[in-house]
């Protein structure tokens, strides 16, 4: 740690871009529509908005405040800023990151496969059948291995070069594409039913603890919270940058992408009657509905589909990089490994942990429930209590570059009381659901 010069972001834009790159990924395009389809449609969307802005933004700021103060990856940061007895929370973060990347890479592998399919043969046959036979098995495993290989090689080489440039072009392109697709979807007959499902909440479901906890889990996953990714990224940030402003920019961008993804997926599902096909495996919501749309577009659909899945692949890659980067930088900071060995060792371990997910969607869903929902929410809950009650003068770090004292106080009390109270309900609910799912999946 000492004596080594810590690399920093060249510019503030570099940090925002990397953080948005971490946040925007499969969580927005794949997980958000699938979670909304599973848990109450529009009611889920309403609660999701609440979770992003009332819970997600304060938690992100809490991560920033620890990361920038310590200028270390999570384990060391918690040790220095909170106290040595809290380092195990950092270990939990590393474990959570490994579990998430393990199945994330399998899904990212699907995006590679779909990209190649669009390029080489075009989308043929029935999308739901294609998904069923391509999402698991040896092929899925191969793509998982290739995707992890790419992620590892980028983390070994440092993030600066090609990937930054590629995402600079492809991320805005992805956004333009989904806005375009949303407009196209609006003109399909039967789209109205999709909008009702997506945008007209059923009041009864607004009070459902299951919908609420699903929305919380989705917010943590999509904003990359609860496992030290944002903490690590902010540790490279300049002392004077405005942390609340950054948290708001990142969250609004991330939300916008997810919201437009829903404006594509739901009208398409209802216009082309895909409810039943998707009902069988909601994990495939995105991968069934979009190819259906691309097929309907005829020749142009193949090109649009190619660009879409390519951009989605890049989005997944920038997110995967952030996950592997947390694990790698922790190994570097705490066990003084060199970057190459750390990334390779961690990457291969994660690859192996992900193998069962390439063979069973149920197991993939289970990993998602345990790591992508439960552990993230627990990680954010504990961090808020620590920042709120244990860290000395938590406002000093956030105050720099941000002068609205009233808002700062509001943030502190939100982190002390409001967020922990909400997350307690969520932890109970998600914990229960995860235990049940373990029961039904494994026995
Ligand atoms: N947020 C990313 C997505 O939406 C996934 C991700 C990257 C992530 N880093 C993370 C999720 C850290 C949780 C924690 O695709």
């Amino acid at each position: 740690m000492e004596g080594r010069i810590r690399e920093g972001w060249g510019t503030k834009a570099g940090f925002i871009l990397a953080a948005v790159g971490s946040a925007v990924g499969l969580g927005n395009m794949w997980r958000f529509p699938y979670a909304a389809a599973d848990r109450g449609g529009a009611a889920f969307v309403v609660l999701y908005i609440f979770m992003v802005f009332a819970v997600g933004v304060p938690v992100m700021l809490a991560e920033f405040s620890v990361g920038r103060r310590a200028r270390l990856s999570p384990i060391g940061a918690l040790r220095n800023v909170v106290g040595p007895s809290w380092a195990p929370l950092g270990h939990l973060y590393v474990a959570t990151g490994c579990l998430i990347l393990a199945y994330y890479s399998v899904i990212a592998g699907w995006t590679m496969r779909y990209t190649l399919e669009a390029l080489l043969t075009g989308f043929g046959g029935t999308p739901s059948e294609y998904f069923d036979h391509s999402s698991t098995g040896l092929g899925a495993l191969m793509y998982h291995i290739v995707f992890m290989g790419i992620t590892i090689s980028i983390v070994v080489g440092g993030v600066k070069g090609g990937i930054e440039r590629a995402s600079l072009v492809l991320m805005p392109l992805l956004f333009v594409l989904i806005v375009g697709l949303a407009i196209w979807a609006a003109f399909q007959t039967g789209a109205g039913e999709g909008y009702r499902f997506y945008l007209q909440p059923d009041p009864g479901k607004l009070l459902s603890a299951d919908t609420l906890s699903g929305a919380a889990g989705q917010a943590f996953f999509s904003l990359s919270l609860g496992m030290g990714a944002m903490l690590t990224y902010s540790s490279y940030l300049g002392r004077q940058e405005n942390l609340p402003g950054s948290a708001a920019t990142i969250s609004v961008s991330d939300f916008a992408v997810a919201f437009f993804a829903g404006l594509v997926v739901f009208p398409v599902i209802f216009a082309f009657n895909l409810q039943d096909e998707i009902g069988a495996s909601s994990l495939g919501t995105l991968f069934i509905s979009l190819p259906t749309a691309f097929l309907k577009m005829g020749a142009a659909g193949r090109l649009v589909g190619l660009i879409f899945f390519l951009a989605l692949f890049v989005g997944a890659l920038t997110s995967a990089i952030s996950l592997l980067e947390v694990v790698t930088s922790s190994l570097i900071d705490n066990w003084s490994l060199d970057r190459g060995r750390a990334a390779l060792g961690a990457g291969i371990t994660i690859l192996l942990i992900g193998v069962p997910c390439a063979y069973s969607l149920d197991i993939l869903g289970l990993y998602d429930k345990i790591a992508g929902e439960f552990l993230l929410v627990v990680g954010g809950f504990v961090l808020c209590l620590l920042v709120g009650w244990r860290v000395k003068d938590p406002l000093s770090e956030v105050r720099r570059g941000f002068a609205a004292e009233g808002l700062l106080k509001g943030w502190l009390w939100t982190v002390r009381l409001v967020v922990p109270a909400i997350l307690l309900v969520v932890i109970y609910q998600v914990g229960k659901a995860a235990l049940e799912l373990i029961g039904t999946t494994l026995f």
Side-chain angles (χ1 to χ4, degrees):
M1 275 170 274
E2 265 82 5
R4 200 157 50 75
I5 295 174
R6 195 166 175 76
E7 19 171 4
W9 302 106
T11 56
K12 168 158 185 175
F15 162 73
I16 296 275
L17 204 70
V20 171
S22 164
V24 173
L26 298 170
N28 310 62
M29 310 290 295
W30 159 75
R31 200 178 189 283
F32 174 74
Y34 127 67
D38 254 5
R39 304 202 220 191
F44 176 90
V45 179
V46 171
L47 294 175
Y48 179 66
I49 294 174
F50 170 77
M51 283 298 173
V52 167
F53 295 103
V55 175
V57 172
V59 173
M60 191 181 289
L61 206 44
E63 288 205 17
F64 286 171
S65 74
V66 174
R68 186 170 68 178
R69 182 181 284 188
R71 317 210 116 214
L72 288 170
S73 52
I75 300 173
L78 289 163
R79 192 182 287 129
N80 286 7
V81 175
V82 190
S85 53
W86 291 98
L89 181 63
H91 292 102
L92 176 72
Y93 283 175
V94 172
T96 307
C98 291
L99 281 173
I100 292 183
L101 184 52
Y103 71 89
Y104 199 87
S105 166
V106 173
I107 303 157
W110 301 345
T111 68
M112 295 177 73
R113 184 176 193 142
Y114 276 66
T115 307
L116 288 177
E117 195 205 0
L119 184 68
L120 301 176
T121 60
F123 303 99
T126 314
S128 59
E129 276 166 18
Y130 185 77
F131 178 76
D132 284 344
H133 87 82
S134 69
S135 56
T136 50
L138 190 61
L141 179 66
M142 288 305 167
Y143 283 103
H144 166 54
I145 294 173
V146 173
F147 184 82
M148 275 311 297
I150 298 173
T151 307
I152 293 169
S153 58
I154 291 173
V155 171
V156 169
V159 182
K160 286 256 139 69
I163 186 69
E164 247 189 46
R165 244 169 293 139
S167 62
L168 202 59
V169 178
L170 282 168
M171 286 301 97
L173 190 63
L174 180 67
F175 191 67
V176 171
L177 268 185
I178 49 169
V179 173
L181 285 167
I183 295 172
W184 176 85
F187 288 100
Q188 307 306 307
T189 31
E193 201 52 42
Y195 292 125
R196 257 190 296 285
F197 178 77
Y198 183 48
L199 299 172
Q200 207 177 77
D202 168 352
K205 289 188 183 145
L206 283 175
L207 295 173
S208 139
D210 182 53
T211 309
L212 180 87
S213 55
Q218 176 60 26
F220 273 74
F221 187 95
S222 193
L223 296 171
S224 303
L225 299 176
M227 56 133 301
M230 288 298 171
L231 188 159
T232 305
Y233 273 18
S234 69
S235 72
Y236 302 106
L237 192 61
R239 283 280 176 218
Q240 299 306 325
E241 298 300 351
N242 168 354
L243 296 180
S246 305
T249 310
I250 296 162
S251 306
V252 169
S253 321
D254 187 70
F255 173 76
V257 176
F259 186 72
F260 275 96
L263 284 180
V264 180
V265 168
F266 291 106
V268 167
I269 291 177
F270 284 86
F272 302 117
N273 281 315
L274 301 172
Q275 294 91 322
D276 290 342
E277 287 161 52
I278 283 168
S281 153
S282 55
L283 280 169
T285 302
L286 176 82
F287 291 89
I288 295 170
S289 57
L290 279 164
T292 305
F294 298 143
L295 273 172
K296 300 278 174 200
M297 290 177 193
R302 187 165 164 189
L303 182 65
V304 178
L306 172 67
I307 304 171
F308 176 85
F309 282 112
L310 182 67
L312 185 58
F313 159 71
V314 174
L317 190 59
T318 53
S319 300
I321 290 167
S322 81
L323 285 160
L324 188 57
E325 179 62 29
V326 174
V327 181
T328 304
S329 65
S330 301
L331 293 177
I332 297 173
D333 285 351
N334 291 283
W335 288 279
S336 14
L337 287 180
D338 65 65
R339 175 164 275 275
R341 261 171 231 232
L344 194 64
I348 291 176
T349 309
I350 291 167
L351 194 156
L352 294 175
I353 300 175
V355 170
C357 302
Y359 281 93
S360 155
L361 290 186
D362 288 339
I363 294 191
L364 194 156
L366 186 63
Y367 276 50
D368 186 39
K369 182 68 99 196
I370 294 175
E373 262 182 40
F374 184 69
L375 293 178
L376 289 181
V377 175
V378 170
F381 173 77
V382 179
L383 188 80
C384 281
L385 290 179
L386 294 177
V387 169
W389 301 102
R390 290 268 323 207
V391 170
K392 271 195 235 71
D393 192 14
L395 284 180
S396 65
E397 193 64 44
V398 180
R399 192 178 279 129
R400 247 180 304 198
F402 186 81
E405 201 57 31
L407 281 178
L408 290 172
K409 290 256 157 55
W411 168 72
L412 187 57
W413 284 100
T414 307
V415 165
R416 283 183 171 162
L417 295 177
V418 181
V419 172
I422 296 172
L423 293 186
L424 214 51
V425 179
V426 172
I427 288 171
Y428 171 76
Q429 190 70 21
V430 176
K432 210 170 62 171
L435 284 177
E436 276 164 23
L437 197 62
I438 291 176
T440 53
T441 309
L442 301 183
F443 305 107

